[in-house]
Amino acid sequence: MATPLLMPDQLTVDEQQLLDRLWMRLQQNRNAPASQGGLDVLQRYYDADRYMRSIGLNVPPGWEPLTTVIAWPAQAVDTVEERLDVEGFRASSSDAPSDDLWDFWQANNLDEESQMGHLDALTMGRSYVVVGASAFGDPVITVEGPQWMIHERSPATRRVMAAARFVQDPRQVDRPEFQRFGQSSAATLWPRPGLTIQLVRMQDGGWTVVDRSYSDLPEIPVVPLINRPRTSYRAGRSEMLRVIPVADACCRALTNLQIATEFQAVPQRYVLGASAEDFVDADGNPVPAWESYLGKVWALANEQATAGQFTAAELRNFETAILTYGKLAASLQGVPLSYFAAGADNPSSADAIRAEEARLVKNCERRMRNFSGAWEQVMRLALWIAYRGTPPSGLERLAVVWRDPATPTMAAKADYVQKMVASRVFPPAYGPEALGLPVAEQERIAELWQETDPSARLAASLDRLQTAPVPGEVGVGAGG
């Protein structure tokens, strides 16, 4: 039997099955509960756009607008993300193109984009970095969120073996032919290394191939940024999961505080033995309820009536409960109490501040280690594209340079570096890096030292003389 020819605008059976499978997994990830990594509900927790879970006993009907949401889950993410700043790349050999890597970083606005990638990964467990080529052959690096992107890993090698990105078009929300794939009207599919398929949605609901591009990339150019992966679940976990139950409990306490403020914080008044006729004005019109309630002096002509008031409710117990929840959230997240509880005791000294932040700093260092492997893989793919499949050597030990997540003062760091250089543990050239200065400033300082240091200028001149060719001779240096 003759094999039917595949039309150029059609997906193969395997590609269609892969696209369907990735879409179904994406929808499951989006609609799952927060405890199972549901993307939509986690995003709402970060945006403080989700009311707390409640059985509804303490909120009277009509008072639902008083329900209060506290942004502790977002605080758990932001305290880590604010300390994750990439400052450069370091390779294992002197000929490795670290300057090119930083140029790629700056050209693709990754100073800003990387922050969004880290934020999404900490919030929803993962985000993505996609590497491609421009029309001129330069690397193009984009950061994508997990709401519309999904990947599959090889169970043997743990590497990405397929990925898909769906593009949402809000104009197609109500069209029935789009319901199978939700609101997406375009997609990019990476079914295997070296192949990228661009797709659009047609009127009949089917996918049409717009472009098939081939390359010699050895891997799928999609790199996931994974937060807290585990051997049993490598898709990542949100940084908010530990705090969400405590935040829900605190939201309930705050809501009860608001309701108690409305009903019980102001002393409640009562009248015994009065009738409706006692609450009329001189013209016989009924006095509004709020006017009667807010009257400074209650005076009634009815001798049988008695007025009084109840004692106002004590609200300090709510303050104690909220502070207790803040302590629980801070201990679970490993941050100082002041991050979650307003009015907490101030640390007694700078050493006490650093001691309280020890767990937070270590958590940030762990997140840096998780994300470093992904950014290193991104840069290797970028070099593969830039050097047309023949990247230079020296990338085996490529490393990301992060800003120090701790908060020591510059004076303390300078004193530390000075002592280490004086004791010859650090060479003087390592001083700017040990101070945590950005890579660009380190290179500028090195250039200034070469301009002002006679020995450095002499060494540079000798290097140039030794490498310069002698006219009429081959391989003869300055001393030949």
Side-chain angles (χ1 to χ4, degrees):
M1 179 183 296
T3 302
L5 295 177
L6 177 68
M7 299 298 293
D9 60 349
Q10 292 180 350
L11 293 171
T12 66
V13 175
D14 292 339
E15 292 168 349
Q16 185 66 58
Q17 292 177 351
L18 173 63
L19 188 66
D20 293 343
R21 184 170 66 252
L22 291 175
W23 173 256
M24 294 302 298
R25 284 185 51 207
L26 180 62
Q27 292 307 298
Q28 292 173 0
N29 292 340
R30 293 190 59 180
N31 299 323
S35 59
Q36 300 177 14
L39 302 180
D40 290 346
V41 67
L42 289 174
Q43 185 66 44
R44 294 188 64 187
Y45 265 112
Y46 179 83
D47 294 333
D49 186 32
R50 177 178 171 82
Y51 288 162
M52 80 293 183
R53 291 169 293 183
S54 175
I55 59 178
L57 295 180
N58 297 330
V59 182
W63 294 79
E64 289 82 2
L66 291 181
T67 305
T68 305
V69 178
I70 191 169
W72 279 356
Q75 182 75 1
V77 170
D78 292 341
T79 53
V80 177
E81 190 278 327
E82 290 165 358
R83 299 175 181 237
L84 303 182
D85 294 314
V86 176
E87 294 193 336
F89 297 88
R90 186 189 303 112
S92 59
S93 63
S94 59
D95 62 341
S98 57
D99 293 340
D100 291 346
L101 296 177
W102 193 243
D103 290 342
F104 298 157
W105 186 272
Q106 296 290 337
N108 288 279
N109 299 320
L110 289 178
D111 279 337
E112 300 84 3
E113 295 288 320
S114 64
Q115 296 178 7
M116 292 188 287
H118 297 157
L119 182 62
D120 281 349
L122 293 169
T123 302
M124 293 173 280
R126 61 191 170 278
S127 60
Y128 294 91
V129 185
V130 181
V131 186
S134 67
F136 303 99
D138 299 326
V140 177
I141 304 172
T142 59
V143 177
E144 307 289 343
Q147 298 95 326
W148 294 101
M149 195 160 189
I150 191 71
H151 73 285
E152 283 188 353
R153 289 187 184 272
S154 168
T157 63
R158 313 298 186 191
R159 293 186 177 275
V160 177
M161 62 180 185
R165 174 177 56 196
F166 299 90
V167 179
Q168 182 182 15
D169 187 352
R171 296 171 298 179
Q172 313 293 352
V173 172
D174 299 326
R175 298 181 60 177
E177 63 267 22
F178 286 84
Q179 294 305 311
R180 181 186 173 202
F181 282 80
Q183 302 170 13
S184 59
S185 57
T188 304
L189 179 66
W190 293 271
R192 62 179 183 274
L195 175 59
T196 302
I197 304 175
Q198 302 290 342
L199 303 146
V200 294
R201 171 70 79 175
M202 302 304 292
Q203 294 291 336
D204 59 358
W207 289 101
T208 295
V209 176
V210 176
D211 178 68
R212 286 179 179 267
S213 57
Y214 299 88
S215 68
D216 56 354
L217 279 173
E219 298 181 5
I220 300 290
V222 175
V223 182
L225 288 170
I226 305 296
N227 181 62
R228 294 188 180 275
R230 301 181 62 181
T231 55
S232 58
Y233 188 75
R234 295 183 178 270
R237 304 279 286 179
S238 172
E239 200 74 13
M240 303 186 298
L241 291 181
R242 299 178 182 177
V243 181
I244 283 176
V246 182
D248 284 339
C250 188
C251 289
R252 288 190 288 271
L254 284 172
T255 300
N256 292 337
L257 172 61
Q258 284 223 81
I259 296 173
T261 301
E262 294 287 340
F263 283 100
Q264 301 172 0
V266 178
Q268 300 293 307
R269 295 172 177 177
Y270 64 88
V271 177
L272 301 177
S275 62
E277 289 75 11
D278 295 322
F279 296 93
V280 295
D281 58 16
D283 299 329
N285 299 319
V287 177
W290 65 269
E291 191 173 317
S292 301
Y293 178 79
L294 296 178
K296 294 183 179 180
V297 178
W298 277 15
L300 297 174
N302 188 346
E303 297 180 355
Q304 304 298 324
T306 303
Q309 71 177 20
F310 297 105
T311 304
E314 176 61 54
L315 303 181
R316 191 177 299 275
N317 56 335
F318 289 103
E319 178 184 356
T320 303
I322 293 170
L323 182 60
T324 300
Y325 290 135
K327 291 179 179 179
L328 287 173
S331 63
L332 290 172
Q333 197 62 22
V335 299
L337 178 58
S338 58
Y339 283 52
F340 284 95
D345 295 336
N346 292 325
S348 58
S349 63
D351 290 337
I353 295 176
R354 286 192 288 271
E356 286 186 348
E357 291 185 346
R359 283 186 62 193
L360 173 60
V361 172
K362 178 55 67 175
N363 184 21
C364 293
E365 291 175 349
R366 292 297 189 194
R367 305 287 77 74
M368 289 176 179
R369 181 165 295 183
N370 281 346
F371 297 152
S372 289
W375 287 120
E376 292 159 11
Q377 181 63 16
V378 167
M379 290 304 162
R380 291 188 183 100
L381 291 171
L383 286 172
W384 185 281
I385 294 173
Y387 285 81
R388 308 297 191 272
T390 57
S393 61
L395 300 179
E396 295 80 7
R397 296 184 181 179
L398 183 64
V400 183
V401 179
W402 297 85
R403 182 177 298 172
D404 186 1
T407 56
T409 63
M410 288 302 296
K413 294 173 67 174
D415 180 65
Y416 163 75
V417 173
Q418 181 181 10
K419 291 178 180 178
M420 299 300 284
V421 171
S423 60
R424 304 183 67 84
V425 176
F426 290 168
Y430 183 66
E433 183 176 344
L435 282 173
L437 299 178
V439 175
E441 292 187 24
Q442 298 176 29
E443 295 174 350
R444 178 59 179 160
I445 291 172
E447 293 175 359
L448 292 175
W449 270 109
Q450 290 183 358
E451 294 175 2
T452 58
D453 187 1
S455 60
R457 292 201 305 270
L458 177 60
S461 300
L462 291 176
D463 289 340
R464 287 194 296 269
L465 288 174
Q466 290 176 356
T467 56
V470 178
E473 299 183 11
V474 178
V476 180

